[in-house]
Amino acid sequence: MKKVVVYIPVEPENRERIQAIAPDYEFTYLLPPQTDIMSSAKPDFKAFAKELAEADISFGVQPINLIKKMPKLSWVHLSMSGADAYCVPGVLPETTELTCSTGAFGQAISEHMLACTLALYKKLPLYRDNMAKGIWKGRGAVLSPEGATVLVIGLGDIGGRYAKLMKLLGAHTIGVRRSGFTLPDYIDELYHNESIDTLLPRADIIAMALPNTPETAGMIDKRRLALMKPGAIILNVGRGNAIDTEALCDALESGQLGGCALDVTAPEPLPKDHRLWKIPTALITPHISGFFHLRKTYDNIIDIFCAELERYVSARPLQNTVDRKSGYRKTV
């Protein structure tokens, strides 16, 4: 009998749905069924030591230090899209299948990016600052996304959906991806990573939705920040280390950039005394654009796992398999 360990909160109706797919499997849920999906409750791993050691399948976000205590794992399904920590050699045996929940987060995170774009363009953070001080005063001219040039670096589910939203608002959209030349109808121009330097000076908005890989770490450094159009804004919802934080602060404080919206930072969490907190044109959120804050995201994650479980039970190839060399989901 296959044994499955589940790390995320799963409501009774979803437990029934999952178990109906694999009625002969034994499921261990590390969080109680009444746990709210937004709860910060953490599993008592010691209480489940035996179940963890015997697990064939795990679903959720598995602590790396526990993986090596789970020698029987044949399949790990992550309830997130970023799989970089699990791709490090030695974390998982090569024979263990690794899948992720890419495709679950596009709506929530792209809408967050849109909200941040409009907030920066309409200077809403500055008016929030005025509110805290009781100041009734205009903060100057604002911008519109209509006619803006938007450069989206990372044209997956998240970046693609953001580009689509911006296109609907009248922006000119430029997409950058690692490979492939299929041009979606919401992208006006499509390039590969080697073209970034020539594209940055054209962009009014730079939006980044990238995983953590050797190729993406430090992608936006001091040199590339200097290439950006004066007054441009930059958004990052992928991994914080894609941007040199100190160089970004310099560009914001000097007025070279018009603003930034970061849902991820380097370091993360951002230290309380970091100067980025105090830059008026910076909009910082604590890595919350995904997770389960939008109920639809949670439902998507359950749907993806159920679909993968059906494939696993019937010995069909899994769909969201992670390429451990690139850190991205494999494409066919």
Side-chain angles (χ1 to χ4, degrees):
M1 175 187 294
K2 295 283 188 182
K3 297 185 177 182
V4 186
V5 174
V6 181
Y7 290 77
I8 70 170
V10 181
E11 300 151 323
E13 60 271 24
N14 279 320
R15 290 191 181 193
E16 292 177 7
R17 178 185 171 194
I18 290 169
Q19 290 166 201
I21 296 170
D24 296 329
Y25 288 22
E26 179 183 319
F27 289 83
T28 297
Y29 299 90
L30 304 189
L31 291 169
Q34 69 273 17
T35 301
D36 185 273
I37 63 169
M38 286 295 297
S39 171
S40 59
K42 295 182 179 180
D44 180 356
F45 296 118
K46 290 183 179 179
F48 293 100
K50 183 175 183 295
E51 288 82 358
L52 292 169
E54 296 179 353
D56 300 286
I57 300 167
S58 69
F59 168 36
V61 179
Q62 301 80 349
I64 297 297
N65 65 330
L66 286 181
I67 291 287
K68 294 181 180 179
K69 298 178 182 179
M70 303 172 72
K72 294 178 61 181
L73 282 177
S74 61
W75 172 34
V76 171
H77 181 77
L78 302 174
S79 56
M80 58 184 183
S81 56
D84 49 285
Y86 301 85
C87 296
V88 175
V91 172
L92 288 172
E94 290 298 322
T95 55
T96 302
E97 294 200 71
L98 177 63
T99 56
C100 65
S101 294
T102 292
F105 302 93
Q107 179 179 347
I109 299 181
S110 65
E111 288 176 354
H112 177 93
M113 295 168 73
L114 173 62
C116 289
T117 302
L118 293 174
L120 290 173
Y121 260 30
K122 304 306 177 183
K123 298 187 175 179
L124 299 187
L126 300 183
Y127 286 105
R128 185 70 179 187
D129 292 344
N130 279 6
M131 283 179 60
K133 299 174 183 177
I135 297 174
W136 184 275
K137 180 182 178 181
R139 299 302 298 256
V142 297
L143 299 169
S144 171
E146 184 174 2
T149 297
V150 179
L151 175 63
V152 181
I153 305 175
L155 206 60
D157 178 45
I158 295 167
R161 290 186 70 142
Y162 173 72
K164 185 180 294 187
L165 291 172
M166 296 305 291
K167 183 68 176 174
L168 289 171
L169 291 176
H172 180 83
T173 55
I174 303 174
V176 172
R177 57 166 43 133
R178 291 180 305 130
S179 60
F181 287 100
T182 301
L183 187 67
D185 58 8
Y186 50 84
I187 293 294
D188 295 304
E189 302 176 47
L190 182 63
Y191 300 89
H192 291 162
N193 288 352
E194 58 268 21
S195 298
I196 289 176
D197 283 3
T198 61
L199 297 171
L200 288 173
R202 298 176 54 195
D204 300 295
I205 300 166
I206 300 97
M208 304 178 68
L210 297 165
N212 179 23
T213 70
E215 183 182 24
T216 62
M219 178 177 281
I220 301 299
D221 55 11
K222 181 177 181 179
R223 181 185 66 82
R224 279 183 163 163
L225 285 165
L227 293 176
M228 294 179 187
K229 180 187 293 188
I233 67 170
I234 187 167
L235 319 176
N236 188 17
V237 295
R239 288 294 182 266
N241 67 353
I243 300 178
D244 181 330
T245 304
E246 296 306 318
L248 174 64
C249 288
D250 291 341
L252 291 167
E253 290 176 339
S254 70
Q256 162 68 15
L257 291 185
C260 76
L262 307 178
D263 190 48
V264 290
T265 61
E268 188 174 306
L270 192 65
K272 289 183 179 181
D273 59 351
H274 199 284
R275 61 174 169 150
L276 188 56
W277 288 115
K278 298 180 181 179
I279 296 177
T281 53
L283 180 55
I284 312 298
T285 49
H287 207 152
I288 48 75
S289 60
F291 191 54
F292 306 150
H293 292 84
L294 181 67
R295 172 70 198 212
K296 177 62 175 171
T297 302
Y298 175 84
D299 293 338
N300 289 344
I301 291 169
I302 296 295
D303 288 346
I304 289 171
F305 177 67
C306 286
E308 293 287 53
L309 184 60
E310 287 179 349
R311 296 184 188 98
Y312 186 89
V313 169
S314 60
R316 290 182 288 136
L318 301 179
Q319 183 170 297
N320 271 26
T321 302
V322 175
D323 179 346
R324 297 198 204 179
K325 291 184 178 179
S326 69
Y328 290 83
R329 179 180 61 175
K330 291 181 180 178
T331 56
V332 293

